[in-house]
């Protein structure tokens, strides 16, 4: 039974994808900020990958200095508003708030963070300006959290920055990947516009850097190059029938969802393959688009899923059904998807083994593969001396972002193999300092 | 069931909770509603000369999200016609003959005092309260605190009142004076039957940062007002105690100031009050709070085995001593219960920066540790700890020794120089001044700020 009717209008879409962390009113922010204990050496700060001084900004909100709060946040993290909404706070700052040990609710750090940053955005209050020009020029490839954060910090340090972005809009997977109930397109883009207005970097949209010639041009025209290219498409599973119509990759499905919103087509019976956070998102999103039945199929047991517990709870909460210890054998159908043939699995000596004779068919009219994103290895191989590790991640110095080609720096999903927006934002910014040291040493 | 009723200097009421003379007692309508809700008495909003009021009138001290921790006003006495008030007093007394209605009065001349005392007595009032407290507006006209601050003037006026009074007379004292017992003694000399305290404290509750004007703001300007509400309780308690302990005051005390719950009321009573008055709490939450107050008081009395209010009055007074009478041999130190600790480290930073460097951090856990030999037993850590009963103060002396400063002085056993052995025992070790520099900087410099210190790579490895 579907919990959600298929949305047909913008309002219905907004209703089905209602924000999990809606904007806090002033009264709510006052109440919540009043609860913060202002811990010494606060554990929440340590749990934040961008190291925001959380007790400080909460106290600033509490004392009626929301602008100061926003400055504290943005000084540590240029995606301050987005992070407040999209971060898995349950396992980061809020998860380590001392209140959790009392049995009381942790401080709603994420929502307070978005509250303060939204205020300065709405008021158009500029907090930063570009530094005195150094004459150095840096090319940033990719306008995702890593690229934009690096660009902002480079501008602050006085370097000229040009960003090359394959897509037509900035913020990478914040706009094209994150679930719509975490952040709206409007909110994401408002923060990007706010940053661009302050730092004045150039973004060349619809500008894919893909060939050796493209790279050579960058190498000739710029003093350093930053790679914030993220990951690639959903990896292929290598199953028979994978090419059938309505068998799609999760990342591609979600990208459509973020662009087309209520016009996104979803099956009536959807099978999602995978056990990570993207699988949970795709399953939730299918349900909210009005699919009658959504089955989440995972090769191992429930406890072994890579997804955060709260993400699975969220999916369960909208009616998604878990199907565990099953492996897909074939996508069945006649042109279009009609079902998935599974075999049950058992774990023997840590290895997932098929149980012979246990095959069955789960009928469906859509399959979403949430089985991981491929790395952009063939593109990266075009860069001389750039080393990738065994998993296709760019080898880099985590303190400086520098790669094995000294003029190339990297951060974000392309370097860490896929983490969160906050990691990309923090590391992109750190890389700007690495570049600065490299250029000015 | 304990008996909550009182007989305060001859004024009877079903419980000790009275509404103080203030906006909640401005009309017969309000007083009837309050009695209906369960209040035992009401001191009518001060009657006297014709006045005009300004708007706005109130200001508030908020603490974080908590509103009206402290409250102030620049209002004057009743701005309603005396005749209307008298008629309503009469009506209330007819409907509630066993509740206490006390008329608060403030006029100037002897004749005016005589007239108004007769008027309110004829209206059926159970008692009279002389308002010598209002710290704004009326004192400029030679009334209110202008009287309360001059014991001789106060005594004279009390004498005028006593010339005609046939019902008990309470003198309400202003706290805007350095020794509260002086006006209390003057009230006694004048023949008053009781005192009530405190009235509001002269104050400015805040300044508007854009208009550069004090709150409450009247057309861009403000004035000092009268401060009250929960924030003033400690000042009130001390003054109630001073009057209750003074050997020559010997008058029943109606305790006022910061009473919001049954606990606040019991504290006033334990320090010598035999009735209590409430204003701000009723203005904040309405008359309904009386239910919590009476039920809490009843529960407390039952548990303690008190049968009447009189059983409790002044019970804490024998334990309020001068500093020189405290036992110097008594010694407590702090103790942290690691099972309760949530790791906020507020105790650590409080003791480290604000007390005696007697708490250290431990590797591998966020629970700090008390350094027993440095702990002077000041309580600070246990006060800042957000977890109930997590830091407790444990007694360390064996309880057999008792020695006060006074006794030591008498025995000529007090230290006369700093290196005197007799000054020992309460000293504690302090670190070298320069050891403070850079201490735990990495813990107070948040997050990525650490990353951009000179050795970024080394720092990252640490994380
Ligand atoms: C489905 C899904 C849900 C997610 N949900 C969350 C979430 O709820 N919370 C959270 O914190 N994180 C979430 N993430 C992870 C988060 O989105 C990423 O970690 C983060 O966006 C990585 O930032 P990035 O800048 O490294 O890469 P990306 O965001 O991928 O940005 C890379 C940018 O580079 C551009 N680009 C790539 N190659 C080229 C090229 N050759 N030339 C020019 N441009 C190029 C791309 O178009 C893109 O705009 C999610 C990820 C996915 C896939
Ligand atoms: C708005 C306002 C007006 C007051 N007016 C009077 C008054 O007319 N006569 C008087 O004796 N006290 C007056 N007071 C003082 C109160 O009776 C009381 O002494 C004081 O508020 C302290 O008590 P509380 O902290 O419980 O409110 C007034 C207080 C307030 C807040
Ligand atoms: S851990 Fe919680 S209470 Fe402590 S500073 Fe952080 S948000 Fe505030
Ligand atoms: S009681 Fe005072 S000195 Fe002792 S540990 Fe606590 S704060 Fe420090
Ligand atoms: S203040 Fe209390 S809870 Fe916080 S660290 Fe100290 S003992 Fe633990």
């Amino acid at each position: 039974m579907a919990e959600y009717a298929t949305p047909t209008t913008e309002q219905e879409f907004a209703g089905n994808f209602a924000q999990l962390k809606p904007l806090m009113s002033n009264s709510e922010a006052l109440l919540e900020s009043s609860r913060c204990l202002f811990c010494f050496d606060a554990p929440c700060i340590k749990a934040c990958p961008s190291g925001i001084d959380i007790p400080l900004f909460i106290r600033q909100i509490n004392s009626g200095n929301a602008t100061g709060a926003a400055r504290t946040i943005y000084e540590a993290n240029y995606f301050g508003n987005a992070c407040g909404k999209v971060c898995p706070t349950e396992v980061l700052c809020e998860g380590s708030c001392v209140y959790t040990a009392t049995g009381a609710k942790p401080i709603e750090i994420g929502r307070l963070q978005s509250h303060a940053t939204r205020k300065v955005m709405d008021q158009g209050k500029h907090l930063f300006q570009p530094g005195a020009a150094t004459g150095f020029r840096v090319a940033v490839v990719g306008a995702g959290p890593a690229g934009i954060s690096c660009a902002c910090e480079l501008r602050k340090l006085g370097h000229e920055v040009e960003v090359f972005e394959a897509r037509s809009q900035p913020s990478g997977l914040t706009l094209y990947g994150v679930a719509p109930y975490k952040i709206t397109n409007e909110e994401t883009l408002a923060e990007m516009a706010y940053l661009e207005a302050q730092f004045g970097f150039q973004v060349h949209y619809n500008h894919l850097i893909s060939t050796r010639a493209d790279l050579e041009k960058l190498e000739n025209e710029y003093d350093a190059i930053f790679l914030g290219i993220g990951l690639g498409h959903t990896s292929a599973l290598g199953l028979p029938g994978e090419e059938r119509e309505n068998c799609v990759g999760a990342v591609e499905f979600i990208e459509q969802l973020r662009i087309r919103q209520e016009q996104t087509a979803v099956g009536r019976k959807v099978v999602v393959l995978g056990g990570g956070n993207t699988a949970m998102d795709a399953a939730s999103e299918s349900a909210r688009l009005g699919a009658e039945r959504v089955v989440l199929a995972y090769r191992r047991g429930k406890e072994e899923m890579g997804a955060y517990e709260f993400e699975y709870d969220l999916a369960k909460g909208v009616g998604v059904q878990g199907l565990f210890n099953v492996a897909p054998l074939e996508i069945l159908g006649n042109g279009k998807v009609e079902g998935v043939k599974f075999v049950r699995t058992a774990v023997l000596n840590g290895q997932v083994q098929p149980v012979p004779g246990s095959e069955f068919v789960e009928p469906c009219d859509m399959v979403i593969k949430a089985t991981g994103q491929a790395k952009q290895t063939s593109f990266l191989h075009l860069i001389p001396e750039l080393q990738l590790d065994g998993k296709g991640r760019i080898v880099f110095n985590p303190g400086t972002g520098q790669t094995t080609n000294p003029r190339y720096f990297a951060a974000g999903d392309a370097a860490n193999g896929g983490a969160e927006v906050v990691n990309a934002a923090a590391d992109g910014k750190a890389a700007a300092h690495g570049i600065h040291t490299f250029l000015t040493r | 069931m304990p008996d909550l009723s009182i007989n305060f200097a001859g004024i009877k009421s079903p419980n000790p909770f009275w509404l103080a003379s203030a906006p909640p007692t401005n009309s017969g309508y309000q007083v009837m509603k309050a009695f209906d809700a369960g209040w035992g008495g009401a001191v009518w909003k001060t009657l006297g000369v014709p006045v005009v009021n300004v708007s706005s009138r109130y200001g508030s001290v908020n603490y974080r999200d908590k509103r009206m921790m402290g409250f102030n006003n620049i209002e004057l006495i009743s701005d309603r016609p005396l005749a209307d008030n008298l008629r309503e007093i009469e009506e209330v007394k007819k409907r509630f003959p066993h509740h206490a209605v006390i008329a608060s009065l403030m006029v100037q001349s002897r004749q005016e005092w005589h007239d108004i005392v007769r008027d309110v007595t004829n209206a059926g009032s159970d008692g009279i309260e002389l308002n010598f407290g209002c710290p704004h507006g009326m004192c400029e006209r030679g009334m209110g605190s202008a009287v309360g601050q001059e014991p001789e003037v106060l005594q004279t006026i009390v004498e005028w009142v006593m010339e005609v009074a046939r019902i008990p007379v309470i003198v309400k004292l202003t706290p805007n004076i350095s020794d509260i017992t002086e006006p209390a003694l003057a009230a006694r000399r004048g023949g008053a039957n009781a005192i009530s305290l405190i009235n509001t404290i002269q104050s400015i509750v805040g300044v508007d940062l854009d208009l550069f004007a004090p709150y409450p703001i009247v057309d861009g300007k403000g004035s000092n007002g009268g401060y009250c509400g929960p924030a003033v309780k400690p000042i009130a308690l001390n003054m109630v105690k001073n009057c209750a302990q003074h050997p020559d005051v010997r008058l029943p005390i109606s305790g006022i100031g910061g009473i919001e719950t049954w606990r606040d009321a019991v504290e006033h009573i334990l320090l010598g009050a035999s009735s209590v008055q409430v204003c701000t709490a009723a203005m904040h939450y309405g008359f309904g709070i009386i239910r919590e107050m009476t039920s809490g008081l009843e529960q407390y009395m039952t548990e303690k085995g008190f049968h009447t209010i009189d059983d409790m009055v002044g019970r804490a007074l024998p334990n309020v001593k001068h500093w020189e009478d405290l036992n110097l041999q008594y010694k407590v130190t702090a103790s942290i219960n690691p099972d309760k600790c949530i790791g906020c480290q507020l105790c650590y930073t409080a003791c480290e920066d604000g007390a005696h460097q007697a708490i250290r951090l431990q590797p591998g856990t966020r629970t700090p540790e008390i350094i027993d030999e440095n702990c002077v037993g000041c309580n600070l850590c246990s006060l800042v700890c957000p977890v109930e009963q997590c830091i407790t103060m444990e007694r360390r002396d064996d309880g057999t020794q008792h020695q006060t400063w006074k006794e030591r002085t008498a025995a000529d056993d007090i230290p006369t120089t700093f290196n005197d052995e007799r000054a020992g025992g309460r000293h504690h070790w302090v670190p070298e001044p320069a050891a403070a520099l850079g201490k735990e900087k990495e813990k107070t410099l948040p997050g990525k700020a650490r990353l951009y210190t000179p050795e970024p790579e080394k720092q990252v490895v640490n994380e």
Side-chain angles (χ1 to χ4, degrees):
Chain A
M1 248 232 5
E3 308 226 347
Y4 290 93
T6 303
T8 55
T9 63
E10 220 175 286
Q11 285 80 3
E12 284 172 11
F13 183 85
N16 284 12
F17 289 86
Q19 294 301 297
L20 291 182
K21 294 185 179 172
L23 196 62
M24 264 186 180
S25 68
N26 286 345
S27 311
E28 222 180 340
L30 177 65
L31 275 176
E32 191 60 8
S33 60
S34 294
R35 290 205 305 134
C36 176
L37 296 168
F38 202 60
C39 299
F40 177 77
D41 191 22
C44 53
I45 305 180
K46 292 199 230 170
C48 170
S50 60
I52 297 174
D53 192 339
I54 292 162
L56 175 60
F57 92 69
I58 293 181
R59 219 177 166 85
Q60 287 169 315
I61 292 176
N62 196 250
S63 63
N65 181 10
T67 305
R71 187 190 304 278
T72 302
I73 295 160
Y74 278 124
E75 270 169 0
N77 181 343
Y78 291 122
F79 277 63
N81 188 259
C83 279
K85 302 206 73 183
V86 311
C87 270
T89 52
E90 292 85 342
V91 296
L92 296 174
C93 53
E94 293 175 19
S96 68
C97 174
V98 296
Y99 270 114
T100 54
T102 66
K105 256 181 5 111
I107 303 291
E108 288 192 67
I109 299 168
R111 290 184 64 211
L112 284 167
Q113 186 175 312
S114 301
H115 168 84
T117 45
R118 185 76 216 196
K119 270 213 159 130
V120 287
M121 279 163 55
D122 285 348
Q123 296 165 351
K125 271 197 188 153
H126 286 193
L127 305 174
F128 302 99
Q129 58 191 40
T134 61
F136 291 110
R137 304 183 71 215
V138 183
V140 169
V141 185
I148 294 290
S149 300
C150 184
C152 291
E153 193 71 0
L154 285 169
R155 289 295 297 134
K156 200 167 140 204
L157 294 166
H159 307 299
E160 206 176 302
V161 180
E162 293 201 44
V163 186
F164 300 90
E165 169 55 52
R167 289 189 168 100
S168 59
Q169 288 181 307
S171 88
L173 287 176
T174 323
L175 192 64
Y176 296 107
V178 174
Y181 41 79
K182 293 190 181 160
I183 193 165
T184 65
N185 294 7
E186 179 272 326
E187 285 168 314
T188 314
L189 294 173
E191 187 163 46
M192 294 304 103
Y194 177 65
L195 293 175
E196 223 175 308
Q198 292 180 78
F199 290 105
F201 43 80
Q202 280 269 326
V203 187
H204 304 279
Y205 292 110
N206 305 309
H207 195 130
L208 178 72
I209 303 293
S210 58
T211 63
R212 180 62 213 143
D214 292 342
L215 288 166
E216 254 160 36
K217 196 160 183 291
L218 297 185
E219 287 163 11
N220 291 337
E221 292 178 13
Y222 298 89
D223 300 297
I225 299 161
F226 175 78
L227 299 171
I229 59 171
L231 301 172
H233 296 295
T234 303
S235 319
L237 284 173
L239 289 181
E242 202 175 338
E243 73 295 340
R244 289 191 206 287
E245 196 179 324
N246 276 3
C247 174
V248 298
V251 185
E252 292 72 22
F253 168 72
I254 295 167
E255 178 166 350
Q256 284 306 303
L257 173 70
R258 288 298 298 262
I259 297 170
R260 297 171 54 87
Q261 309 260 317
E262 69 276 6
Q263 281 147 30
T264 316
V266 73
R268 311 204 59 138
K269 298 195 172 110
V270 180
V271 170
V272 178
L273 302 175
N277 289 321
T278 301
M280 303 304 132
D281 281 1
S284 285
E285 287 157 350
S286 303
R288 287 168 200 261
L289 278 173
E292 276 168 23
R293 182 173 146 84
V294 182
V295 173
L296 187 78
Y298 181 54
R299 294 185 317 145
R300 296 171 178 258
K302 184 162 65 183
E303 306 69 34
E304 288 162 277
M305 287 198 301
Y308 299 126
E309 208 176 315
F310 62 86
E311 294 283 12
Y312 178 54
D313 289 344
L314 201 61
K316 271 197 308 193
V318 295
V320 171
Q321 292 166 23
L323 182 60
F324 298 102
N325 300 305
V326 295
L329 296 177
E330 188 182 348
I331 312 293
L332 304 172
N334 189 1
K336 285 188 181 173
V337 168
E338 284 170 11
V340 181
K341 187 173 176 189
F342 285 106
V343 62
R344 295 197 187 277
T345 60
V347 179
L348 283 177
N349 306 326
Q351 294 280 46
V352 180
Q353 305 282 356
V355 179
S358 68
E359 293 82 358
F360 68 99
V361 172
E362 179 70 39
C364 65
D365 55 6
M366 185 174 200
V367 174
I368 301 178
K369 298 177 288 178
T371 42
Q373 285 172 270
K375 311 288 186 307
Q376 306 205 48
T377 45
S378 47
F379 168 67
L380 292 172
H381 283 315
L382 298 175
I383 301 169
E385 294 163 56
L386 187 88
Q387 277 179 28
L388 305 183
D389 70 6
K391 292 181 174 164
R393 297 178 297 199
I394 301 170
V395 173
F396 76 117
N397 176 330
T400 62
Q402 198 164 34
T403 69
T404 48
N405 178 330
R407 287 182 61 204
Y408 278 88
F409 293 75
D413 282 1
N416 63 30
E420 313 292 344
V421 170
V422 63
N423 302 94
D427 296 346
K429 184 181 164 194
H433 285 264
I435 294 170
H436 178 73
T437 312
F438 169 73
L439 295 177
T440 58
R441 99 206 114 161
Chain B
M1 268 273 273
D3 177 6
L4 297 195
S5 71
I6 56 165
N7 181 341
F8 179 87
I11 303 169
K12 295 191 179 123
S13 92
N15 64 50
F17 298 105
W18 297 351
L19 286 167
S21 173
T25 59
N26 195 42
S27 64
Y29 170 86
Q30 287 162 293
V31 174
M32 283 229 196
K33 198 172 175 199
F35 288 172
D36 219 17
W39 290 84
V43 186
W44 211 273
K45 174 74 185 171
T46 304
L47 308 174
V49 293
V51 296
V52 285
N53 271 308
V54 292
S55 108
S56 51
R57 303 177 191 178
Y58 305 150
S60 161
V61 173
N62 299 341
Y63 182 71
R64 296 193 174 184
D65 59 332
K66 296 291 174 281
R67 305 213 161 240
M68 278 169 63
M69 287 279 307
F71 183 59
N72 97 345
N73 79 91
I74 52 171
E75 236 174 57
L76 306 183
I77 62 174
S78 178
D79 51 15
R80 302 180 60 227
L82 179 62
D84 293 0
N85 282 300
L86 294 172
R87 200 185 55 246
E88 289 172 16
I89 289 176
E90 210 174 326
E91 211 179 316
V92 170
K93 270 316 291 184
K94 271 199 194 114
R95 186 65 72 93
F96 291 94
H98 304 298
H99 285 61
V101 173
I102 295 111
S104 170
L105 307 178
M106 182 196 291
V107 286
Q108 247 175 327
S109 69
R110 181 166 178 227
Q111 190 55 49
E112 282 171 332
W113 278 108
H114 283 179
D115 290 346
I116 200 163
V117 166
R118 284 199 193 93
D119 285 345
V120 298
T121 309
N122 292 339
S125 305
D126 299 291
I128 292 167
E129 187 179 80
L130 311 184
N131 179 354
F132 296 151
C134 185
H136 50 263
M138 303 311 291
C139 42
E140 289 91 329
R141 290 161 66 175
M143 292 177 272
S145 61
V147 176
Q149 288 164 338
E150 291 297 337
E152 264 150 47
V153 182
L154 184 149
Q155 182 180 338
T156 306
I157 295 179
V158 175
E159 282 164 3
W160 292 346
V161 168
M162 297 319 290
E163 287 165 6
V164 294
R166 286 179 287 108
I167 51 178
V169 173
I170 308 167
V171 175
K172 184 166 180 175
L173 305 181
T174 175
N176 300 307
I177 185 164
S178 29
D179 182 358
I180 192 74
T181 60
E182 284 192 21
L185 289 166
R188 181 172 179 90
R189 283 195 303 273
N193 305 99
I195 49 175
S196 60
L197 63 155
I198 57 174
N199 208 312
T200 56
I201 305 170
Q202 259 192 20
S203 64
I204 287 180
V205 284
V207 177
D208 188 294
L209 302 190
D210 298 314
L211 299 176
F212 309 124
Y215 296 118
I217 297 173
V218 181
D219 193 14
K221 310 273 185 265
S223 184
N224 55 280
Y227 196 42
C228 54
V232 310
K233 185 181 77 174
I235 296 159
L237 288 178
N238 184 50
M239 292 189 164
V240 166
K241 176 270 295 181
N242 285 345
C243 291
Q245 275 188 336
H246 197 286
D248 299 327
V249 172
R250 295 196 315 276
L251 287 174
I253 298 169
S254 186
I256 320 172
I259 298 174
E260 181 172 305
T261 68
W262 68 273
R263 280 181 170 277
D264 305 320
V266 169
E267 288 173 320
H268 270 267
I269 293 170
L270 294 176
L271 287 172
S274 42
S275 86
V276 292
Q277 300 186 27
V278 177
C279 166
T280 306
M283 291 181 75
H284 195 162
Y285 301 108
F287 297 137
I289 54 165
I290 188 63
R291 285 168 299 164
E292 178 279 324
M293 294 177 135
T294 45
S295 94
L297 178 61
E298 226 168 64
Q299 182 63 27
Y300 173 78
M301 290 174 71
T302 307
E303 275 166 26
K304 291 285 169 198
F306 294 132
H307 301 294
T308 66
I309 300 294
D310 275 342
D311 290 350
M312 318 159 47
V313 174
R315 280 297 279 261
L317 288 172
N319 294 327
V320 187
K321 295 284 191 196
H322 290 295
W323 187 92
E324 59 177 10
D325 294 320
L326 302 178
N327 183 5
L328 296 170
Q329 297 295 333
Y330 178 74
K331 166 92 175 147
V332 291
T333 62
S335 166
I336 295 177
N337 180 342
D339 296 335
K340 291 195 169 173
C341 173
I342 60 172
C344 68
Q345 300 189 344
L346 286 174
C347 58
Y348 166 74
T349 196
C351 186
E352 170 74 13
D353 293 357
H356 298 96
Q357 301 79 45
I359 302 186
R360 69 163 79 91
L361 299 174
Q362 313 185 83
T365 167
R366 283 196 56 92
T367 302
E369 186 183 43
I370 307 287
I371 307 166
D372 266 335
E373 52 284 20
N374 287 1
C375 176
V376 302
C378 73
N379 286 356
L380 179 63
C381 54
S382 70
L383 300 177
V384 300
C385 179
V387 183
E388 286 294 311
Q389 290 297 308
C390 172
I391 301 186
T392 48
M393 302 305 296
E394 304 292 341
R395 186 160 189 177
R396 302 298 175 199
D397 66 313
D398 62 10
T400 58
Q401 305 292 309
H402 188 278
Q403 191 187 40
T404 66
W405 181 261
K406 200 182 196 170
E407 288 161 359
R408 281 181 65 169
T409 312
D412 199 17
D413 184 28
I414 53 173
T416 48
T417 67
F418 284 109
N419 293 326
D420 193 326
E421 258 309 295
R422 290 170 297 194
R426 298 292 159 199
H427 284 303
H428 77 292
W429 164 91
V430 296
E432 283 302 312
L437 299 176
K439 186 171 183 205
E440 277 149 5
K441 255 252 173 87
E442 83 285 2
K443 300 198 169 169
T444 50
L445 263 187
K448 290 294 180 264
R450 292 173 224 172
L451 197 70
Y452 303 136
T453 49
E455 306 157 294
E457 280 151 64
K458 201 170 145 226
Q459 301 284 335
V460 167
V461 175
N462 288 343
E463 286 196 339

